[in-house]
Tab-separated table of all heavy atoms in Angstrom:
chain	number	residue	atom	x	y	z
A	268	ALA	N	94.006	68.242	26.896
A	268	ALA	CA	92.745	68.794	26.398
A	268	ALA	C	91.571	68.344	27.263
A	268	ALA	O	90.680	69.135	27.595
A	268	ALA	CB	92.522	68.375	24.954
A	269	LEU	N	91.581	67.089	27.671
A	269	LEU	CA	90.474	66.552	28.460
A	269	LEU	C	90.483	67.095	29.892
A	269	LEU	O	89.432	67.197	30.528
A	269	LEU	CB	90.549	65.024	28.481
A	269	LEU	CG	90.332	64.335	27.126
A	269	LEU	CD1	90.597	62.834	27.246
A	269	LEU	CD2	88.920	64.581	26.610
A	270	SER	N	91.649	67.426	30.381
A	270	SER	CA	91.756	67.910	31.767
A	270	SER	C	91.068	69.257	31.969
A	270	SER	O	90.818	69.662	33.104
A	270	SER	CB	93.224	68.016	32.179
A	270	SER	OG	93.886	69.033	31.433
A	271	SER	N	90.747	69.936	30.875
A	271	SER	CA	90.100	71.249	30.981
A	271	SER	C	88.581	71.141	31.046
A	271	SER	O	87.901	72.145	31.263
A	271	SER	CB	90.497	72.122	29.781
A	271	SER	OG	89.964	71.585	28.571
A	272	LEU	N	88.026	69.950	30.865
A	272	LEU	CA	86.572	69.780	30.872
A	272	LEU	C	86.013	69.972	32.279
A	272	LEU	O	86.623	69.568	33.262
A	272	LEU	CB	86.200	68.393	30.338
A	272	LEU	CG	86.572	68.104	28.884
A	272	LEU	CD1	86.211	66.672	28.510
A	272	LEU	CD2	85.884	69.092	27.941
A	273	GLU	N	84.816	70.551	32.341
A	273	GLU	CA	84.186	70.838	33.626
A	273	GLU	C	82.773	70.264	33.664
A	273	GLU	O	82.279	69.712	32.684
A	273	GLU	CB	84.147	72.356	33.864
A	273	GLU	CG	85.520	73.025	33.954
A	273	GLU	CD	86.310	72.603	35.190
A	273	GLU	OE1	85.686	72.093	36.148
A	273	GLU	OE2	87.539	72.780	35.189
A	274	GLY	N	82.107	70.440	34.816
A	274	GLY	CA	80.730	69.988	34.959
A	274	GLY	C	80.613	68.486	34.877
A	274	GLY	O	81.482	67.765	35.383
A	275	GLU	N	79.550	67.988	34.228
A	275	GLU	CA	79.347	66.545	34.145
A	275	GLU	C	80.405	65.846	33.297
A	275	GLU	O	80.570	64.628	33.366
A	275	GLU	CB	77.958	66.210	33.593
A	275	GLU	CG	77.763	66.533	32.125
A	275	GLU	CD	76.518	65.872	31.543
A	275	GLU	OE1	76.103	64.815	32.055
A	275	GLU	OE2	75.969	66.424	30.573
A	276	LEU	N	81.155	66.608	32.495
A	276	LEU	CA	82.203	66.024	31.660
A	276	LEU	C	83.523	65.859	32.410
A	276	LEU	O	84.417	65.161	31.940
A	276	LEU	CB	82.442	66.890	30.415
A	276	LEU	CG	81.251	67.091	29.473
A	276	LEU	CD1	81.641	68.035	28.351
A	276	LEU	CD2	80.768	65.749	28.914
A	277	LYS	N	83.650	66.483	33.536
A	277	LYS	CA	84.906	66.443	34.303
A	277	LYS	C	85.191	65.010	34.746
A	277	LYS	O	84.323	64.311	35.253
A	277	LYS	CB	84.810	67.344	35.527
A	277	LYS	CG	86.112	67.468	36.322
A	277	LYS	CD	85.945	68.432	37.470
A	277	LYS	CE	87.225	68.565	38.298
A	277	LYS	NZ	88.346	69.089	37.510
A	278	GLY	N	86.433	64.578	34.539
A	278	GLY	CA	86.787	63.215	34.898
A	278	GLY	C	88.278	63.026	35.050
A	278	GLY	O	89.016	63.986	35.281
A	279	THR	N	88.720	61.798	34.874
A	279	THR	CA	90.125	61.443	35.082
A	279	THR	C	90.625	60.606	33.920
A	279	THR	O	89.906	59.727	33.421
A	279	THR	CB	90.294	60.643	36.385
A	279	THR	OG1	89.710	61.378	37.464
A	279	THR	CG2	91.760	60.384	36.682
A	280	TYR	N	91.857	60.869	33.504
A	280	TYR	CA	92.488	60.072	32.450
A	280	TYR	C	93.320	58.969	33.083
A	280	TYR	O	94.069	59.201	34.030
A	280	TYR	CB	93.379	60.948	31.565
A	280	TYR	CG	93.968	60.185	30.399
A	280	TYR	CD1	93.250	60.012	29.223
A	280	TYR	CD2	95.229	59.597	30.497
A	280	TYR	CE1	93.771	59.289	28.158
A	280	TYR	CE2	95.764	58.868	29.444
A	280	TYR	CZ	95.026	58.717	28.278
A	280	TYR	OH	95.539	57.991	27.220
A	281	HIS	N	93.193	57.755	32.544
A	281	HIS	CA	93.937	56.600	33.044
A	281	HIS	C	94.748	56.006	31.887
A	281	HIS	O	94.179	55.540	30.894
A	281	HIS	CB	92.977	55.532	33.584
A	281	HIS	CG	92.016	56.042	34.613
A	281	HIS	ND1	92.259	55.961	35.967
A	281	HIS	CD2	90.813	56.660	34.473
A	281	HIS	CE1	91.234	56.496	36.628
A	281	HIS	NE2	90.349	56.927	35.749
A	282	THR	N	96.067	56.039	32.021
A	282	THR	CA	96.902	55.481	30.966
A	282	THR	C	96.965	53.963	31.097
A	282	THR	O	97.064	53.420	32.210
A	282	THR	CB	98.316	56.094	30.987
A	282	THR	OG1	99.042	55.637	29.848
A	282	THR	CG2	99.074	55.733	32.260
A	283	LEU	N	96.886	53.267	29.989
A	283	LEU	CA	96.794	51.805	30.000
A	283	LEU	C	98.068	51.164	30.550
A	283	LEU	O	98.026	50.109	31.182
A	283	LEU	CB	96.515	51.304	28.579
A	283	LEU	CG	95.710	50.020	28.435
A	283	LEU	CD1	94.366	50.140	29.118
A	283	LEU	CD2	95.516	49.690	26.955
A	284	GLY	N	99.198	51.817	30.309
A	284	GLY	CA	100.472	51.247	30.718
A	284	GLY	C	100.627	51.074	32.217
A	284	GLY	O	101.393	50.218	32.668
A	285	THR	N	99.908	51.883	33.001
A	285	THR	CA	100.029	51.801	34.461
A	285	THR	C	98.776	51.229	35.119
A	285	THR	O	98.699	51.151	36.341
A	285	THR	CB	100.306	53.196	35.056
A	285	THR	OG1	99.246	54.082	34.699
A	285	THR	CG2	101.627	53.749	34.532
A	286	MET	N	97.805	50.823	34.318
A	286	MET	CA	96.557	50.284	34.868
A	286	MET	C	96.734	48.802	35.191
A	286	MET	O	97.239	48.030	34.378
A	286	MET	CB	95.416	50.459	33.851
A	286	MET	CG	94.042	50.095	34.396
A	286	MET	SD	92.755	50.233	33.114
A	286	MET	CE	92.789	52.010	32.792
A	287	ASP	N	96.315	48.372	36.400
A	287	ASP	CA	96.453	46.966	36.759
A	287	ASP	C	95.466	46.105	35.968
A	287	ASP	O	94.424	46.582	35.509
A	287	ASP	CB	96.251	46.768	38.261
A	287	ASP	CG	94.840	47.120	38.710
A	287	ASP	OD1	93.940	46.281	38.581
A	287	ASP	OD2	94.637	48.260	39.185
A	288	LYS	N	95.789	44.834	35.803
A	288	LYS	CA	95.009	43.921	34.973
A	288	LYS	C	93.574	43.757	35.467
A	288	LYS	O	92.635	43.626	34.666
A	288	LYS	CB	95.694	42.552	34.911
A	288	LYS	CG	97.064	42.564	34.259
A	288	LYS	CD	96.962	42.974	32.798
A	288	LYS	CE	98.336	42.951	32.121
A	288	LYS	NZ	98.255	43.392	30.702
A	289	GLU	N	93.395	43.756	36.773
A	289	GLU	CA	92.053	43.575	37.332
A	289	GLU	C	91.137	44.745	36.947
A	289	GLU	O	89.990	44.543	36.548
A	289	GLU	CB	92.140	43.456	38.855
A	289	GLU	CG	90.789	43.195	39.516
A	289	GLU	CD	90.909	43.056	41.025
A	289	GLU	OE1	92.017	42.730	41.513
A	289	GLU	OE2	89.899	43.261	41.707
A	290	THR	N	91.677	45.964	37.044
A	290	THR	CA	90.896	47.143	36.665
A	290	THR	C	90.600	47.135	35.172
A	290	THR	O	89.476	47.434	34.740
A	290	THR	CB	91.649	48.431	37.036
A	290	THR	OG1	91.898	48.435	38.446
A	290	THR	CG2	90.845	49.661	36.661
A	291	GLN	N	91.604	46.762	34.368
A	291	GLN	CA	91.404	46.671	32.927
A	291	GLN	C	90.262	45.730	32.586
A	291	GLN	O	89.363	46.068	31.805
A	291	GLN	CB	92.681	46.175	32.243
A	291	GLN	CG	93.746	47.217	32.047
A	291	GLN	CD	94.887	46.702	31.187
A	291	GLN	OE1	94.666	46.039	30.171
A	291	GLN	NE2	96.113	46.979	31.602
A	292	GLN	N	90.291	44.538	33.164
A	292	GLN	CA	89.283	43.535	32.838
A	292	GLN	C	87.898	43.973	33.282
A	292	GLN	O	86.907	43.721	32.584
A	292	GLN	CB	89.639	42.184	33.472
A	292	GLN	CG	88.816	41.017	32.934
A	292	GLN	CD	88.927	40.874	31.427
A	292	GLN	OE1	90.020	40.820	30.867
A	292	GLN	NE2	87.782	40.829	30.755
A	293	ARG	N	87.818	44.633	34.437
A	293	ARG	CA	86.520	45.104	34.919
A	293	ARG	C	85.935	46.144	33.972
A	293	ARG	O	84.743	46.109	33.644
A	293	ARG	CB	86.655	45.695	36.327
A	293	ARG	CG	85.299	46.097	36.927
A	293	ARG	CD	85.416	46.581	38.357
A	293	ARG	NE	86.100	47.860	38.461
A	293	ARG	CZ	87.331	48.028	38.920
A	293	ARG	NH1	88.042	46.984	39.312
A	293	ARG	NH2	87.868	49.230	38.997
A	294	LEU	N	86.776	47.051	33.488
A	294	LEU	CA	86.312	48.070	32.549
A	294	LEU	C	85.924	47.456	31.205
A	294	LEU	O	84.973	47.908	30.560
A	294	LEU	CB	87.397	49.135	32.354
A	294	LEU	CG	87.669	50.040	33.554
A	294	LEU	CD1	88.893	50.909	33.298
A	294	LEU	CD2	86.456	50.911	33.866
A	295	ILE	N	86.638	46.427	30.780
A	295	ILE	CA	86.300	45.728	29.535
A	295	ILE	C	84.965	45.017	29.678
A	295	ILE	O	84.098	45.089	28.798
A	295	ILE	CB	87.415	44.730	29.158
A	295	ILE	CG1	88.679	45.478	28.706
A	295	ILE	CG2	86.941	43.784	28.043
A	295	ILE	CD1	89.905	44.596	28.560
A	296	ASP	N	84.775	44.326	30.809
A	296	ASP	CA	83.526	43.595	31.046
A	296	ASP	C	82.328	44.534	31.133
A	296	ASP	O	81.205	44.150	30.774
A	296	ASP	CB	83.627	42.777	32.341
A	296	ASP	CG	84.601	41.619	32.221
A	296	ASP	OD1	84.921	41.229	31.077
A	296	ASP	OD2	85.048	41.114	33.264
A	297	ASP	N	82.574	45.757	31.580
A	297	ASP	CA	81.499	46.746	31.687
A	297	ASP	C	81.277	47.505	30.377
A	297	ASP	O	80.492	48.455	30.335
A	297	ASP	CB	81.828	47.758	32.792
A	297	ASP	CG	81.718	47.146	34.184
A	297	ASP	OD1	81.064	46.098	34.316
A	297	ASP	OD2	82.296	47.718	35.127
A	298	HIS	N	81.976	47.073	29.306
A	298	HIS	CA	81.863	47.701	27.980
A	298	HIS	C	82.403	49.137	27.961
A	298	HIS	O	81.985	49.948	27.137
A	298	HIS	CB	80.411	47.696	27.477
A	298	HIS	CG	79.788	46.343	27.413
A	298	HIS	ND1	80.031	45.454	26.381
A	298	HIS	CD2	78.931	45.720	28.248
A	298	HIS	CE1	79.343	44.340	26.582
A	298	HIS	NE2	78.666	44.477	27.718
A	299	PHE	N	83.329	49.457	28.862
A	299	PHE	CA	83.911	50.794	28.896
A	299	PHE	C	85.241	50.861	28.155
A	299	PHE	O	85.554	51.868	27.535
A	299	PHE	CB	84.135	51.256	30.343
A	299	PHE	CG	82.860	51.529	31.099
A	299	PHE	CD1	82.686	51.045	32.383
A	299	PHE	CD2	81.849	52.255	30.522
A	299	PHE	CE1	81.514	51.297	33.079
A	299	PHE	CE2	80.668	52.512	31.206
A	299	PHE	CZ	80.506	52.024	32.490
A	300	LEU	N	86.037	49.820	28.245
A	300	LEU	CA	87.412	49.870	27.761
A	300	LEU	C	87.629	48.930	26.585
A	300	LEU	O	87.088	47.826	26.543
A	300	LEU	CB	88.372	49.505	28.904
A	300	LEU	CG	89.870	49.534	28.607
A	300	LEU	CD1	90.317	50.935	28.208
A	300	LEU	CD2	90.662	49.053	29.827
A	301	PHE	N	88.429	49.395	25.647
A	301	PHE	CA	88.844	48.561	24.524
A	301	PHE	C	89.922	47.588	24.986
A	301	PHE	O	90.494	47.740	26.068
A	301	PHE	CB	89.389	49.434	23.393
A	301	PHE	CG	90.514	50.347	23.806
A	301	PHE	CD1	91.842	49.934	23.735
A	301	PHE	CD2	90.252	51.628	24.279
A	301	PHE	CE1	92.878	50.760	24.112
A	301	PHE	CE2	91.288	52.481	24.660
A	301	PHE	CZ	92.604	52.040	24.575
A	302	LYS	N	90.228	46.611	24.172
A	302	LYS	CA	91.271	45.658	24.532
A	302	LYS	C	92.117	45.309	23.315
A	302	LYS	O	91.685	45.455	22.176
A	302	LYS	CB	90.658	44.384	25.114
A	302	LYS	CG	89.704	43.664	24.182
A	302	LYS	CD	89.119	42.430	24.848
A	302	LYS	CE	88.122	41.716	23.919
A	302	LYS	NZ	87.560	40.508	24.560
A	303	GLU	N	93.305	44.854	23.593
A	303	GLU	CA	94.206	44.406	22.532
A	303	GLU	C	93.754	43.041	22.044
A	303	GLU	O	93.110	42.285	22.764
A	303	GLU	CB	95.629	44.305	23.071
A	303	GLU	CG	96.684	43.968	22.016
A	303	GLU	CD	98.065	43.798	22.623
A	303	GLU	OE1	98.153	43.629	23.853
A	303	GLU	OE2	99.048	43.832	21.870
A	304	GLY	N	94.077	42.730	20.787
A	304	GLY	CA	93.813	41.390	20.319
A	304	GLY	C	92.871	41.289	19.138
A	304	GLY	O	92.693	40.201	18.586
A	305	ASP	N	92.225	42.399	18.732
A	305	ASP	CA	91.374	42.356	17.551
A	305	ASP	C	92.214	41.964	16.341
A	305	ASP	O	93.169	42.654	15.980
A	305	ASP	CB	90.723	43.721	17.327
A	305	ASP	CG	89.786	43.743	16.140
A	305	ASP	OD1	90.290	43.818	15.004
A	305	ASP	OD2	88.570	43.665	16.350
């Protein structure tokens, strides 16, 4: 569904299972990504 978005909404989906830890932490620190552990 998201892959059909265009214009300023157009982007990329990143699955958590294949995302490296460094990228995960950077996105968490930037308030973009949720994290496990709540």
